[in-house]
Amino acid sequence: MALKSRMLMFLTLAIVLAATDGKIFERCELARTFKAAGLDGFKGYSLKEWVCTAFYESTYNSSAVNINWNGGKALSMDCGIFQINSFWWCLDAFTSVTKRNCGMACGDFLDDDLTDDIKCAKSIVTLHPGMKAWVAWSTRCNQQNMERFVAGCNV
Ligand SMILES: *[C@@H]1O[C@H](CO)[C@@H](O)[C@H](O)[C@H]1NC(C)=O
């Protein structure tokens, strides 16, 4: 069963990745994209907090995927620039129990169009509550000097 579920998951992932046209964002390009989408100050979180979080979650790789394993069983996956989790926030083919609060397909978070990622991130920060939803924000961004994430970007 575990093997079967693992194979199914790799198949799903292979399909998702094959259909994906992701890219590595340049830091200031990402800052501008986030700003244009209204993330600067959203729920009180500044632009640099979002860029910092994206850096430590995905290193700006819009097609980043990480699977969360438990004893050979795939529990869920984290997708895209913000590593949005399939158990809580998006729809995929293999996560058996899911909250699916954004109502979007996880695979849609892997392309270079960040519109849906940002829309879901806004839901997450509103519902969770706050950016505590991202471990990277809590451990590596919050209350630390994040100026370097927007330095020189003219944002
Ligand atoms: C971006 O993520 C994808 C999916 O995990 C991976 O295949 C690719 O190598 C990554 N790109 C870089 C430059 O790390």
Side-chain angles (χ1 to χ4, degrees):
M1 186 55 198
L3 186 64
K4 197 179 160 196
S5 115
R6 192 186 284 228
M7 280 174 61
L8 181 68
M9 213 276 316
F10 277 128
L11 251 163
T12 308
L13 198 60
I15 293 163
V16 165
L17 290 178
T20 287
D21 196 11
K23 73 170 185 179
I24 312 298
F25 275 78
E26 189 270 317
R27 178 176 61 86
C28 288
E29 174 190 22
L30 192 64
R32 284 191 295 271
T33 304
F34 285 175
K35 181 150 187 166
L39 277 182
D40 191 10
F42 189 82
K43 295 286 169 189
Y45 295 98
S46 63
L47 188 60
K48 61 192 174 192
E49 298 186 77
W50 294 101
V51 180
C52 178
T53 301
F55 177 75
Y56 288 116
E57 289 291 349
S58 65
T59 53
Y60 308 146
N61 183 349
S62 77
S63 55
V65 179
N66 285 289
I67 299 153
N68 305 301
W69 297 100
N70 186 357
K73 195 172 187 296
L75 287 188
S76 64
M77 61 179 181
D78 297 325
C79 294
I81 207 97
F82 287 127
Q83 290 290 280
I84 292 174
N85 180 261
S86 65
F87 178 80
W88 293 101
W89 305 107
C90 58
L91 302 154
D92 66 25
F94 67 91
T95 308
S96 51
V97 183
T98 180
K99 303 296 179 186
R100 300 182 166 172
N101 280 317
C102 290
M104 301 173 192
C106 300
D108 291 348
F109 295 140
L110 302 178
D111 62 12
D112 62 6
D113 179 354
L114 302 184
T115 311
D116 42 11
D117 307 61
I118 292 167
K119 193 170 174 217
C120 187
K122 285 179 175 176
S123 297
I124 293 171
V125 82
T126 304
L127 294 168
H128 191 271
M131 288 189 78
K132 280 200 293 284
W134 287 276
V135 174
W137 177 83
S138 300
T139 60
R140 311 185 78 167
C141 302
N142 187 29
Q143 296 184 334
Q144 300 190 35
N145 187 335
M146 293 174 275
E147 293 308 324
R148 68 188 182 283
F149 291 102
V150 290
C153 297
N154 288 316
V155 283

